[in-house]
Amino acid sequence: MIKLENIHKIYELDHGKTLHALKGIDLQINKGEIFGVIGLSGAGKSTLIRIINMLELPTDGKVIIDGEDITSYREAKLRKVRQSIGMIFQQFNLLSSKTVFENVAFPLELDQTLSKDEIKNRVHELLKMVELDDKADVYPAQLSGGQKQRVGIARALATNPKILLCDEATSALDPKTTSSILKLLTTLRDKLNLTIVIITHQLEVIKECCDRVAVIDGGLISEMGNTIDLFANPQKDLTKRLVSAVVRKDLNDLLEYTKLDDTYSEGSRAWFELLFLGDKAEDPVIVEVAKELNVNISILAGQINHIQNKPLGILIVAVKGDEALIQKAKEELEKRVYHVQLLGYEVENNE
C-alpha cells in the first residue's frame, strides 16, 4: 500500500550548513492497518509523514503508493494522488469564518463536477459519520477541541481517500477526548477500509489503536514491529524508556529504591519480572508453580495494561529458596508466561 525506499531528507540551512532529517528510511505500511510512528521531538516524524503525500520532497529515495512510484510525478499528477490521501493536524486548521458545514464542504467545492445537492448530501453523511450532524451551522469557535478534530476528520474524508495521515492529531486534546478520537479513527478504518498513519510522541496513542509501530530516532528507524510485541519486549534503549514510562510506571519506583545483587548468596530472594500476554494474564501461574515445587513465591507488585484490548500483565515476584530451587522455579515460570527476567537477588534483613 505505502512503501518508502531509502528515503533521505536533507535541509539546506544558513551559512552552508545542512540538516540530515531522514537517513535512509525503509518502511512498508499495509493496506487497512493503523500504523504508528513514534519518536522524540526533532526525530523526523513530521518530515516523514509529509513525504508520504509529497508535501515534502525527499532528497533521495522512492515513495511508492499502490505500486506506483510517485516521487517523480509532476505537480498536476501529484494533486490527483493527494486527493486519495487525507490529512489531519494537531491544531485542526479549520477556517474560523466558515461554519462546520462549510469547512467540510470546502474540498468538495474545489471539484467542479459535483452539484450543490451532491455536496450537501456528502457533507451531512460525513458529519453523521463523525457524530456532529447537529453542529452543521456552528462555527469552530463554539466547538470543543475534540469536536474541532472531528470536523477535521470529516473534512479529510470528504474526497473518499484511501489513506489518512494524522500528524500529532491528538496532542492538543485531553486523555478522555484523545481516547474518543482514537476509537473514532478505528471505527472509520473498519468501515471505510482506510489505511491510517499516526505520527505521535505519545505512546498511549500507539498503545490504544495501532496495529504496528516504528520508533524513529535521529532520522533512523531504530525498531519496528507489532505493537503488542514492542510493548512486551522492546529491544532498543529509547523504546525501553518509552514503554517503561507507560506500562511499568507504577513499578519503577519499587525497583529504583530496592538494592539487588547480581549474584546469589545463602538466604537471599530472587526477584523476577514476569510478562503475561493475552489470556495468560488471567492464569493462576504463581499458585501453580508454588504448589508444584513447594516454593515460597511472594508477589511484590503488578499491573495489567491493555494493548489494543489485549491484556499485557506484569508481575514482580520474589522466590525464596536455595539456588537450585530458584532455578527450577524460573524454568517452570518460563513454561507458563511470555517472558521471565531475573532482576537480581535481595538479602533479607534479619536484624
Side-chain angles (χ1 to χ4, degrees):
M1 181 61 180
I2 303 171
K3 191 174 184 181
L4 305 182
E5 293 184 352
N6 194 34
I7 293 293
H8 289 262
K9 180 62 181 180
I10 301 174
Y11 291 102
E12 301 292 335
L13 306 178
D14 293 336
H15 309 297
K17 295 182 179 180
T18 61
L19 173 64
H20 203 159
L22 297 177
K23 305 170 183 177
I25 298 291
D26 290 306
L27 183 63
Q28 182 166 320
I29 299 170
N30 301 319
K31 182 178 176 63
E33 75 175 339
I34 301 179
F35 190 93
V37 179
I38 189 167
L40 304 178
S41 296
K45 306 184 300 295
S46 292
T47 299
L48 177 63
I49 201 170
R50 288 171 63 83
I51 280 177
I52 292 176
N53 61 3
M54 298 294 285
L55 290 175
E56 289 277 2
L57 302 181
T59 306
D60 195 13
K62 295 180 180 180
V63 179
I64 300 169
I65 306 290
D66 283 344
E68 292 189 34
D69 180 5
I70 68 170
T71 318
S72 59
Y73 279 11
R74 294 182 181 275
E75 187 60 32
K77 205 169 182 181
L78 272 178
R79 280 198 297 269
K80 188 173 181 180
V81 171
R82 290 186 188 121
Q83 289 177 354
S84 67
I85 304 175
M87 193 163 185
I88 58 175
F89 308 88
Q90 177 181 356
Q91 298 302 331
F92 319 127
N93 289 6
L94 302 180
L95 300 168
S96 60
S97 61
K98 292 183 178 291
T99 65
V100 166
F101 181 96
E102 291 166 337
N103 268 278
V104 178
F106 183 71
L108 296 170
E109 290 168 347
L110 299 177
D111 184 350
Q112 298 179 356
T113 66
L114 296 175
S115 68
K116 287 186 177 181
D117 283 343
E118 287 174 318
I119 292 174
K120 180 180 178 181
N121 290 337
R122 177 63 176 157
V123 171
H124 282 301
E125 176 189 3
L126 289 164
L127 290 178
K128 186 174 183 180
M129 207 177 289
V130 299
E131 301 175 355
L132 286 180
D133 42 327
D134 60 336
K135 302 291 185 182
D137 298 324
V138 167
Y139 287 89
Q142 300 169 271
L143 300 176
S144 67
Q147 289 171 332
K148 289 176 183 177
Q149 195 56 282
R150 286 171 183 265
V151 177
I153 293 170
R155 183 183 58 188
L157 297 177
T159 57
N160 289 305
K162 298 178 291 184
I163 299 167
L164 183 62
L165 306 179
C166 308
D167 189 3
E168 298 281 8
T170 60
S171 295
L173 306 176
D174 63 78
K176 184 176 180 181
T177 305
T178 291
S179 183
S180 71
I181 292 295
L182 297 178
K183 286 182 172 65
L184 173 62
L185 289 174
T186 302
T187 299
L188 292 172
R189 185 273 303 269
D190 297 339
K191 182 175 182 178
L192 304 176
N193 196 26
L194 289 169
T195 301
I196 300 178
V197 183
I198 294 178
I199 298 292
T200 183
H201 66 274
Q202 301 170 300
L203 204 62
E204 291 87 350
V205 171
I206 301 293
K207 172 184 164 184
E208 186 159 341
C209 70
C210 292
D211 301 303
R212 290 193 302 137
V213 58
V215 181
I216 188 167
D217 185 15
L220 296 167
I221 291 180
S222 64
E223 192 163 355
M224 181 165 55
N226 293 330
T227 301
I228 188 73
D229 294 333
L230 184 132
F231 271 86
N233 191 24
Q235 300 298 307
K236 303 294 185 180
D237 287 343
L238 174 60
T239 315
K240 289 177 180 178
R241 292 200 305 271
L242 292 171
V243 168
S244 179
V246 174
V247 304
R248 302 174 77 254
K249 56 187 177 183
D250 295 331
L251 306 178
N252 289 337
D253 286 346
L254 171 67
L255 298 177
E256 183 178 352
Y257 295 109
T258 303
K259 187 178 183 306
L260 298 175
D261 294 332
D262 292 332
T263 56
Y264 174 82
S265 59
E266 187 176 354
S268 62
R269 300 194 302 172
W271 281 40
F272 292 100
E273 179 178 287
L274 313 180
L275 291 184
F276 301 76
L277 280 185
D279 294 340
K280 290 289 184 182
E282 300 176 3
D283 287 354
V285 170
I286 305 303
V287 173
E288 291 175 356
V289 174
K291 282 185 176 180
E292 183 172 326
L293 299 180
N294 192 27
V295 62
N296 186 330
I297 303 179
S298 304
I299 297 176
L300 304 176
Q303 63 187 66
I304 294 180
N305 290 270
H306 287 83
I307 316 298
Q308 284 191 307
N309 297 320
K310 296 178 182 177
L312 170 62
I314 304 175
L315 278 184
I316 306 295
V317 302
V319 180
K320 187 173 183 180
D322 60 35
E323 196 168 9
L325 185 59
I326 288 173
Q327 179 60 31
K328 184 64 176 175
K330 180 175 183 288
E331 292 170 0
E332 289 301 320
L333 289 168
E334 287 173 335
K335 294 176 185 178
R336 292 168 165 83
V337 304
Y338 177 79
H339 184 67
V340 177
Q341 179 184 355
L342 174 63
L343 299 174
Y345 297 92
E346 176 197 26
V347 178
E348 289 189 291
N349 188 348
N350 295 319
E351 294 181 2

